[in-house]
Amino acid sequence: MVDLQGQLKKIEPQIRSKFDEIFDNTQFIKGDIVKEFEKDLAAYLDVKHVISCGNGTDALQIALMSLNLQPGDEVITVDFTFAATVEVVGLLGLTPVLIDVDPNTFNMDVNELEKAITPKTKAIIPVHLFGQCADMEKILGIAKKHQIPVIEDNAQAIGATYTFSDGKKQKAGTMGRIGTTSFFPSKNLGAFGDGGALFTNDDELAEKIRSITNHGMSVRYHYDRLGVNSRLDSLQAAVLSVKLPLLDEYIAARQQAALWYNEAFKDCQNIQTPFVAGYTDHVFHQYTIVLKGIDRDALHQHLLSKNIPNAIYYPVPLHSQKAYENFHFIPENLTTSITLSKSVLSLPMHTELTKEQVEFISAEVLDFIKSHS
Ligand SMILES: *Cc1c(COP(=O)(O)O)cnc(C)c1O
C-alpha cells in the first residue's frame, strides 16, 4: 500500500545527519529540533500555533480535554472514520453522536449536522477523510450559529487546501477552533514511529493545550489541571523536519498517481473513482474506489492472491462496533456508511508509484470486473 523504503532512500543522508546531531547532544526529549519543527509546520500551514504530541489519537483527546467538556456532553462526529475519533470521546465520559457521510466525498454529510445538534452538543469533529476537506464553510456556519467549537481531525489530509466561497484559502486543520493530525509512518507526513500535533490560532487555548500535553503543568511542578504525558520526541521531529519541505512534492506525486488510476478506470461503469468536491483539493492519503454491481470482497481477495496490496477502509462502520454498543447509535440514520463499508476498496497509493505500477494494478482490477460482471 505504501513504499516507505523507496521514499526513505532519497532522504536518508539528511536524516542520518540530523540523527547524528541528536546522538551528540542527547536531547532525546524536548530537543530544540522539536520546537523548530513546530515553527516550520506552523509556517507551512499558516496557523499561529502547532503543539506536537505523542500521536494523532492523543491529539484528539487533548483537543477535547482543552474544551472543558462535562461528562454526558455530546460530541458529533461521523460514522465512517477511523476508531480513534470516537474512542477518545467515549474515554472522556462524553457521548459520541454519529452522523452519516456523503456518498461521493465520504465526508460529513452537512445536511445531517444541524438535526443532530441538541442543547448538550459541545463539540463537532469533522474528519477530512482520505485526503480531502469536509465541507468546512457549511460546518463552520452551523457551528457558529449554535456556538459549538469545531475540532478538525486532519490525520489524513495534511497539506490539503480548502477554498471558501469568497476565494479565501486555508489549509486543512486550521479552520476550526482546533485541528489535529497524526505522523504515523504511513500518513502523508509520516515519522519513523508515533507522533501527532494540534493546531490553533487561539493564543490562550494553545497555552492550555501545551500544558495538557505536559501533565497539566504551568510552572515547573505546579499543576493547574489534569493533563497527560504526550510528546513528539526529537528523533521523530528530525525525520519530519526533513520531510516537511518535501510535502508538496509528495502530494503532487500522489495526485499524479490518482490521475493515472482515474484514466484507467474512466470507462468502467462498475467503479466510482474518487470525487473531489469543488471547495477542496485532494492529497490522496488513500485512493479509494466504490464498487458497483461487483463483489468487493471477492475483488479484494483476488488482488491479494495476485500479490497486489489493497485494503478496506473501513469494513465495519463505527456504530456497529462491539466496543461502542453502549452508545445506542441509530443505524437507520447511517445508511451511507453501511453501504460504503460494503463497497469501498483502497488501492496502493504512495509517493513512489510509477505509471507502470498503476497500469498493472488497474489492469488486474479491470480484468476481474470484466470476468465477473
Ligand atoms: C490515523 C488516524 C488517527 C490516529 O492517529 P494515530 O497517530 O494512529 O493515533 C485519527 N484519526 C484518523 C482519521 C486517522 O486516520
Side-chain angles (χ1 to χ4, degrees):
M1 289 298 281
V2 293
D3 179 7
L4 294 178
Q5 203 142 34
Q7 189 190 65
L8 176 58
K9 265 192 206 127
K10 299 174 185 164
I11 50 175
E12 194 177 328
Q14 289 118 286
I15 292 178
R16 283 194 188 275
S17 100
K18 296 224 180 210
F19 277 10
D20 281 342
E21 276 175 47
I22 297 167
F23 294 167
D24 288 339
N25 68 27
T26 65
Q27 286 184 354
F28 297 117
I29 294 277
K30 291 183 181 167
D32 294 336
I33 194 160
V34 178
K35 280 266 165 302
E36 278 162 35
F37 169 68
E38 287 179 347
K39 262 203 205 127
D40 292 346
L41 183 56
Y44 172 84
L45 294 171
D46 194 17
V47 69
K48 262 174 111 174
H49 304 278
V50 168
I51 302 112
S52 58
C53 68
N55 57 68
T57 308
D58 279 3
L60 284 163
Q61 178 177 332
I62 293 161
L64 288 168
M65 289 172 75
S66 75
L67 295 177
N68 295 331
L69 308 189
Q70 303 302 316
D73 283 349
E74 293 173 2
V75 177
I76 299 175
T77 188
V78 284
D79 188 30
F80 192 64
T81 178
F82 181 59
T85 327
V86 168
E87 172 182 61
V88 295
V89 174
L91 275 174
L92 293 175
L94 309 168
T95 304
V97 174
L98 299 183
I99 62 175
D100 214 350
V101 292
D102 178 273
N104 294 311
T105 64
F106 315 142
N107 278 326
M108 181 176 276
D109 183 346
V110 289
N111 300 313
E112 298 296 315
L113 178 55
E114 199 152 22
K115 287 184 247 171
I117 293 175
T118 75
K120 284 183 167 178
T121 307
K122 293 295 154 60
I124 299 168
I125 312 182
V127 180
H128 303 313
L129 200 72
F130 300 154
Q132 73 172 316
C133 296
D135 191 350
M136 287 304 289
E137 185 158 0
K138 294 230 178 78
I139 293 168
L140 290 171
I142 294 167
K144 192 172 173 191
K145 180 171 149 199
H146 295 270
Q147 301 196 343
I148 302 167
V150 172
I151 300 169
E152 300 171 67
D153 181 345
N154 192 30
Q156 300 191 6
I158 195 153
T161 304
Y162 187 93
T163 306
F164 287 84
S165 48
D166 65 1
K168 188 178 162 210
K169 291 179 188 294
Q170 266 181 278
K171 287 286 188 197
T174 68
M175 295 170 270
R177 180 82 58 86
I178 305 170
T180 66
T181 201
S182 163
F183 303 122
F184 185 82
S186 64
K187 297 281 158 90
N188 284 24
L189 181 61
F192 285 0
D194 281 309
L198 299 98
F199 320 132
T200 186
N201 282 305
D202 181 326
D203 296 343
E204 222 171 287
L205 194 55
E207 202 174 311
K208 191 167 168 191
I209 288 169
R210 201 171 281 287
S211 144
I212 293 172
T213 64
N214 189 26
H215 304 285
M217 195 160 95
S218 51
V219 180
R220 201 177 178 114
Y221 301 127
H222 292 73
Y223 306 94
D224 291 347
R225 54 180 65 84
L226 287 179
V228 295
N229 170 22
S230 186
R231 291 185 280 242
L232 184 74
D233 68 65
S234 303
L235 292 169
Q236 305 310 331
V239 175
L240 294 167
S241 67
V242 172
K243 284 191 178 187
L244 178 60
L246 300 168
L247 181 57
D248 285 342
E249 247 172 71
Y250 290 160
I251 290 171
R254 288 170 179 275
Q255 289 169 336
Q256 176 61 70
L259 286 177
W260 289 326
Y261 277 124
N262 286 347
E263 176 64 21
F265 295 143
K266 73 175 193 292
D267 296 324
C268 180
Q269 306 296 320
N270 302 91
I271 296 177
Q272 175 188 315
T273 55
F275 171 88
V276 186
Y279 46 73
T280 178
D281 61 359
H282 200 316
V283 298
F284 291 100
H285 174 57
Q286 298 297 341
Y287 183 89
T288 303
I289 56 175
V290 180
L291 279 315
K292 311 223 163 184
I294 286 289
D295 182 342
R296 187 271 317 269
D297 292 332
L299 174 58
H300 171 59
Q301 290 305 334
H302 171 78
L303 293 175
L304 290 182
S305 76
K306 298 264 172 177
N307 289 323
I308 296 176
N310 67 105
I312 298 163
Y313 305 120
Y314 297 91
V316 183
L318 295 182
H319 77 263
S320 55
Q321 299 282 354
K322 181 165 181 278
Y324 313 133
E325 64 192 9
N326 292 335
F327 292 125
H328 306 297
F329 299 123
I330 307 163
E332 289 72 27
N333 295 344
L334 301 164
T335 50
T336 303
S337 297
I338 295 168
T339 306
L340 289 177
S341 66
K342 292 177 184 148
S343 55
V344 287
L345 192 70
S346 299
L347 298 174
M349 174 48 79
H350 54 81
T351 58
E352 312 305 306
L353 270 178
T354 64
K355 193 168 188 213
E356 289 65 36
Q357 287 172 322
V358 170
E359 283 170 352
F360 175 79
I361 297 161
S362 30
E364 283 292 344
V365 172
L366 291 170
D367 271 359
F368 179 90
I369 288 177
K370 224 180 189 174
S371 57
H372 288 80
S373 58

Short mmCIF file of all heavy atoms in Angstrom, two decimals, residues 54-60 80-85 87 127-130 153-157 180-187 193-196 285 314, ligand 1:
data_model
loop_
_atom_site.label_atom_id
_atom_site.label_comp_id
_atom_site.label_asym_id
_atom_site.label_seq_id
_atom_site.Cartn_x
_atom_site.Cartn_y
_atom_site.Cartn_z
N GLY A 54 2.15 12.98 21.22
CA GLY A 54 2.61 11.61 21.00
C GLY A 54 2.03 10.87 19.81
O GLY A 54 2.69 10.00 19.23
N ASN A 55 0.82 11.19 19.43
CA ASN A 55 0.17 10.53 18.28
C ASN A 55 -1.14 11.25 17.96
O ASN A 55 -1.56 12.14 18.72
CB ASN A 55 -0.07 9.03 18.56
CG ASN A 55 -0.89 8.81 19.81
OD1 ASN A 55 -2.06 9.14 19.85
ND2 ASN A 55 -0.27 8.29 20.85
N GLY A 56 -1.76 10.83 16.88
CA GLY A 56 -2.98 11.51 16.44
C GLY A 56 -4.18 11.26 17.34
O GLY A 56 -5.08 12.10 17.42
N THR A 57 -4.19 10.11 18.01
CA THR A 57 -5.28 9.81 18.93
C THR A 57 -5.17 10.70 20.16
O THR A 57 -6.17 11.28 20.61
CB THR A 57 -5.24 8.31 19.35
OG1 THR A 57 -5.18 7.52 18.16
CG2 THR A 57 -6.44 7.93 20.17
N ASP A 58 -3.96 10.83 20.70
CA ASP A 58 -3.73 11.76 21.82
C ASP A 58 -4.15 13.17 21.42
O ASP A 58 -4.74 13.91 22.22
CB ASP A 58 -2.24 11.80 22.21
CG ASP A 58 -1.85 10.65 23.11
OD1 ASP A 58 -2.69 9.79 23.40
OD2 ASP A 58 -0.67 10.62 23.54
N ALA A 59 -3.81 13.57 20.21
CA ALA A 59 -4.13 14.93 19.76
C ALA A 59 -5.64 15.18 19.87
O ALA A 59 -6.07 16.23 20.36
CB ALA A 59 -3.64 15.15 18.34
N LEU A 60 -6.43 14.19 19.45
CA LEU A 60 -7.89 14.33 19.55
C LEU A 60 -8.34 14.39 21.01
O LEU A 60 -9.17 15.21 21.39
CB LEU A 60 -8.57 13.14 18.87
CG LEU A 60 -8.58 13.15 17.34
CD1 LEU A 60 -8.89 11.77 16.79
CD2 LEU A 60 -9.60 14.17 16.83
N PHE A 80 -18.32 6.98 9.57
CA PHE A 80 -17.39 6.34 8.63
C PHE A 80 -16.02 6.99 8.81
O PHE A 80 -15.67 7.95 8.12
CB PHE A 80 -17.92 6.52 7.20
CG PHE A 80 -17.20 5.67 6.18
CD1 PHE A 80 -17.26 4.28 6.22
CD2 PHE A 80 -16.48 6.27 5.16
CE1 PHE A 80 -16.61 3.50 5.27
CE2 PHE A 80 -15.82 5.50 4.20
CZ PHE A 80 -15.89 4.12 4.26
N THR A 81 -15.25 6.49 9.78
CA THR A 81 -13.92 7.04 10.06
C THR A 81 -13.14 5.99 10.83
O THR A 81 -13.65 4.92 11.16
CB THR A 81 -13.99 8.36 10.86
OG1 THR A 81 -12.66 8.83 11.14
CG2 THR A 81 -14.72 8.18 12.19
N PHE A 82 -11.89 6.34 11.15
CA PHE A 82 -11.06 5.50 11.99
C PHE A 82 -11.55 5.60 13.44
O PHE A 82 -12.01 6.66 13.87
CB PHE A 82 -9.60 5.97 11.86
CG PHE A 82 -8.63 5.16 12.68
CD1 PHE A 82 -8.50 3.80 12.47
CD2 PHE A 82 -7.87 5.76 13.66
CE1 PHE A 82 -7.61 3.05 13.22
CE2 PHE A 82 -6.97 5.02 14.42
CZ PHE A 82 -6.85 3.66 14.20
N ALA A 83 -11.41 4.51 14.17
CA ALA A 83 -11.98 4.41 15.52
C ALA A 83 -11.54 5.50 16.49
O ALA A 83 -12.29 5.88 17.39
CB ALA A 83 -11.63 3.04 16.10
N ALA A 84 -10.32 6.00 16.32
CA ALA A 84 -9.76 6.96 17.29
C ALA A 84 -10.71 8.13 17.54
O ALA A 84 -10.83 8.61 18.67
CB ALA A 84 -8.42 7.48 16.79
N THR A 85 -11.37 8.58 16.48
CA THR A 85 -12.22 9.76 16.59
C THR A 85 -13.32 9.56 17.63
O THR A 85 -13.66 10.48 18.38
CB THR A 85 -12.85 10.09 15.21
OG1 THR A 85 -11.94 9.73 14.17
CG2 THR A 85 -13.17 11.55 15.09
N GLU A 87 -13.41 6.83 19.88
CA GLU A 87 -12.82 6.24 21.09
C GLU A 87 -12.50 7.30 22.15
O GLU A 87 -12.85 7.14 23.33
CB GLU A 87 -11.55 5.52 20.64
CG GLU A 87 -10.64 4.97 21.67
CD GLU A 87 -9.42 4.37 20.96
OE1 GLU A 87 -8.69 5.09 20.27
OE2 GLU A 87 -9.23 3.17 21.12
N VAL A 127 -14.05 14.89 9.98
CA VAL A 127 -12.81 14.20 9.63
C VAL A 127 -12.56 14.47 8.15
O VAL A 127 -13.47 14.32 7.34
CB VAL A 127 -12.96 12.68 9.86
CG1 VAL A 127 -11.68 11.95 9.50
CG2 VAL A 127 -13.37 12.39 11.30
N HIS A 128 -11.35 14.89 7.81
CA HIS A 128 -11.03 15.11 6.39
C HIS A 128 -10.54 13.78 5.83
O HIS A 128 -9.34 13.54 5.70
CB HIS A 128 -9.97 16.20 6.25
CG HIS A 128 -10.37 17.51 6.86
ND1 HIS A 128 -11.60 18.09 6.66
CD2 HIS A 128 -9.70 18.36 7.68
CE1 HIS A 128 -11.67 19.24 7.33
NE2 HIS A 128 -10.54 19.42 7.96
N LEU A 129 -11.51 12.92 5.50
CA LEU A 129 -11.18 11.52 5.22
C LEU A 129 -10.49 11.32 3.87
O LEU A 129 -10.89 11.91 2.87
CB LEU A 129 -12.46 10.68 5.28
CG LEU A 129 -12.23 9.19 5.48
CD1 LEU A 129 -11.78 8.90 6.91
CD2 LEU A 129 -13.48 8.39 5.16
N PHE A 130 -9.50 10.47 3.88
CA PHE A 130 -8.77 10.01 2.69
C PHE A 130 -7.96 11.12 2.00
O PHE A 130 -7.30 10.87 1.00
CB PHE A 130 -9.69 9.33 1.65
CG PHE A 130 -10.40 8.11 2.17
CD1 PHE A 130 -11.62 7.72 1.61
CD2 PHE A 130 -9.88 7.34 3.20
CE1 PHE A 130 -12.29 6.58 2.07
CE2 PHE A 130 -10.53 6.21 3.67
CZ PHE A 130 -11.74 5.83 3.10
N ASP A 153 -10.38 16.67 12.56
CA ASP A 153 -9.49 15.51 12.58
C ASP A 153 -8.79 15.47 11.22
O ASP A 153 -9.35 15.01 10.23
CB ASP A 153 -10.25 14.22 12.85
CG ASP A 153 -9.32 13.00 12.89
OD1 ASP A 153 -8.16 13.11 12.46
OD2 ASP A 153 -9.77 11.94 13.36
N ASN A 154 -7.56 15.99 11.23
CA ASN A 154 -6.83 16.14 9.97
C ASN A 154 -5.70 15.12 9.86
O ASN A 154 -4.66 15.41 9.28
CB ASN A 154 -6.30 17.57 9.86
CG ASN A 154 -5.78 17.88 8.48
OD1 ASN A 154 -6.27 17.32 7.49
ND2 ASN A 154 -4.78 18.72 8.38
N ALA A 155 -5.90 13.93 10.41
CA ALA A 155 -4.85 12.92 10.34
C ALA A 155 -4.57 12.48 8.91
O ALA A 155 -3.49 11.99 8.61
CB ALA A 155 -5.25 11.70 11.19
N GLN A 156 -5.55 12.65 8.01
CA GLN A 156 -5.39 12.11 6.65
C GLN A 156 -5.24 13.17 5.57
O GLN A 156 -5.10 12.82 4.40
CB GLN A 156 -6.59 11.20 6.32
CG GLN A 156 -6.71 10.02 7.28
CD GLN A 156 -7.71 8.97 6.83
OE1 GLN A 156 -8.25 9.04 5.73
NE2 GLN A 156 -7.94 7.98 7.67
N ALA A 157 -5.32 14.45 5.92
CA ALA A 157 -5.34 15.45 4.83
C ALA A 157 -4.36 16.59 5.06
O ALA A 157 -4.59 17.71 4.61
CB ALA A 157 -6.75 15.98 4.66
N THR A 180 -6.24 18.62 14.46
CA THR A 180 -5.32 17.60 14.97
C THR A 180 -4.74 16.82 13.80
O THR A 180 -5.38 16.72 12.74
CB THR A 180 -6.04 16.60 15.90
OG1 THR A 180 -6.99 15.85 15.13
CG2 THR A 180 -6.76 17.31 17.04
N THR A 181 -3.55 16.26 13.99
CA THR A 181 -3.01 15.39 12.96
C THR A 181 -2.19 14.27 13.56
O THR A 181 -1.92 14.26 14.77
CB THR A 181 -2.19 16.17 11.91
OG1 THR A 181 -2.12 15.37 10.70
CG2 THR A 181 -0.77 16.46 12.37
N SER A 182 -1.82 13.32 12.69
CA SER A 182 -1.02 12.17 13.09
C SER A 182 0.21 12.08 12.19
O SER A 182 0.12 12.36 10.99
CB SER A 182 -1.84 10.90 12.92
OG SER A 182 -1.01 9.75 12.91
N PHE A 183 1.33 11.71 12.79
CA PHE A 183 2.55 11.47 11.99
C PHE A 183 2.89 9.99 11.94
O PHE A 183 4.06 9.61 11.79
CB PHE A 183 3.73 12.28 12.56
CG PHE A 183 3.49 13.75 12.65
CD1 PHE A 183 3.58 14.43 13.87
CD2 PHE A 183 3.16 14.49 11.52
CE1 PHE A 183 3.36 15.79 13.96
CE2 PHE A 183 2.93 15.86 11.60
CZ PHE A 183 3.03 16.51 12.83
N PHE A 184 1.90 9.13 12.11
CA PHE A 184 2.07 7.69 11.94
C PHE A 184 2.80 7.46 10.60
O PHE A 184 2.55 8.19 9.64
CB PHE A 184 0.68 7.04 11.93
CG PHE A 184 0.70 5.54 11.88
CD1 PHE A 184 0.90 4.80 13.04
CD2 PHE A 184 0.51 4.86 10.68
CE1 PHE A 184 0.90 3.41 12.99
CE2 PHE A 184 0.52 3.48 10.62
CZ PHE A 184 0.73 2.74 11.78
N PRO A 185 3.73 6.49 10.55
CA PRO A 185 4.59 6.37 9.37
C PRO A 185 3.88 6.37 8.01
O PRO A 185 4.41 6.93 7.05
CB PRO A 185 5.32 5.04 9.61
CG PRO A 185 5.37 4.92 11.10
CD PRO A 185 4.09 5.53 11.61
N SER A 186 2.70 5.76 7.93
CA SER A 186 2.05 5.70 6.62
C SER A 186 1.18 6.91 6.30
O SER A 186 0.59 7.00 5.23
CB SER A 186 1.20 4.43 6.52
OG SER A 186 0.15 4.49 7.46
N LYS A 187 1.09 7.86 7.22
CA LYS A 187 0.31 9.07 6.93
C LYS A 187 1.09 9.94 5.93
O LYS A 187 2.28 9.70 5.68
CB LYS A 187 0.03 9.85 8.22
CG LYS A 187 -0.82 9.06 9.23
CD LYS A 187 -2.31 9.07 8.88
CE LYS A 187 -3.08 7.93 9.48
NZ LYS A 187 -3.65 8.12 10.79
N GLY A 193 7.89 6.49 13.66
CA GLY A 193 7.19 5.92 14.79
C GLY A 193 5.95 6.76 15.01
O GLY A 193 5.45 7.36 14.07
N ASP A 194 5.49 6.81 16.24
CA ASP A 194 4.29 7.59 16.52
C ASP A 194 4.60 9.07 16.69
O ASP A 194 5.70 9.46 17.13
CB ASP A 194 3.63 7.07 17.80
CG ASP A 194 2.81 5.81 17.54
OD1 ASP A 194 1.99 5.82 16.61
OD2 ASP A 194 3.03 4.81 18.25
N GLY A 195 3.62 9.88 16.36
CA GLY A 195 3.74 11.32 16.56
C GLY A 195 2.41 11.96 16.19
O GLY A 195 1.60 11.36 15.49
N GLY A 196 2.19 13.16 16.69
CA GLY A 196 0.96 13.87 16.36
C GLY A 196 1.11 15.34 16.69
O GLY A 196 2.16 15.77 17.20
N HIS A 285 -4.45 10.67 0.65
CA HIS A 285 -3.91 9.74 1.64
C HIS A 285 -4.29 8.33 1.20
O HIS A 285 -3.47 7.40 1.29
CB HIS A 285 -4.49 10.05 3.02
CG HIS A 285 -4.08 9.04 4.05
ND1 HIS A 285 -2.77 8.78 4.33
CD2 HIS A 285 -4.81 8.21 4.83
CE1 HIS A 285 -2.70 7.81 5.23
NE2 HIS A 285 -3.92 7.45 5.55
N TYR A 314 -13.45 1.64 5.54
CA TYR A 314 -13.38 0.81 6.73
C TYR A 314 -14.44 -0.27 6.59
O TYR A 314 -15.54 0.01 6.16
CB TYR A 314 -13.60 1.68 7.96
CG TYR A 314 -12.50 2.72 8.09
CD1 TYR A 314 -12.64 3.98 7.52
CD2 TYR A 314 -11.29 2.40 8.72
CE1 TYR A 314 -11.60 4.92 7.61
CE2 TYR A 314 -10.26 3.34 8.81
CZ TYR A 314 -10.43 4.60 8.25
OH TYR A 314 -9.41 5.51 8.31
C1 LIG B 1 -4.51 7.73 11.89
C2 LIG B 1 -5.73 8.41 12.33
C3 LIG B 1 -5.90 8.82 13.67
C4 LIG B 1 -5.00 8.42 14.80
O1 LIG B 1 -3.66 8.68 14.64
P1 LIG B 1 -2.58 7.84 15.47
O2 LIG B 1 -1.34 8.64 15.30
O3 LIG B 1 -2.51 6.49 14.84
O4 LIG B 1 -3.04 7.79 16.88
C5 LIG B 1 -7.05 9.54 13.99
N1 LIG B 1 -7.97 9.84 13.06
C6 LIG B 1 -7.86 9.44 11.78
C7 LIG B 1 -8.92 9.81 10.81
C8 LIG B 1 -6.74 8.70 11.38
O5 LIG B 1 -6.65 8.30 10.11
#
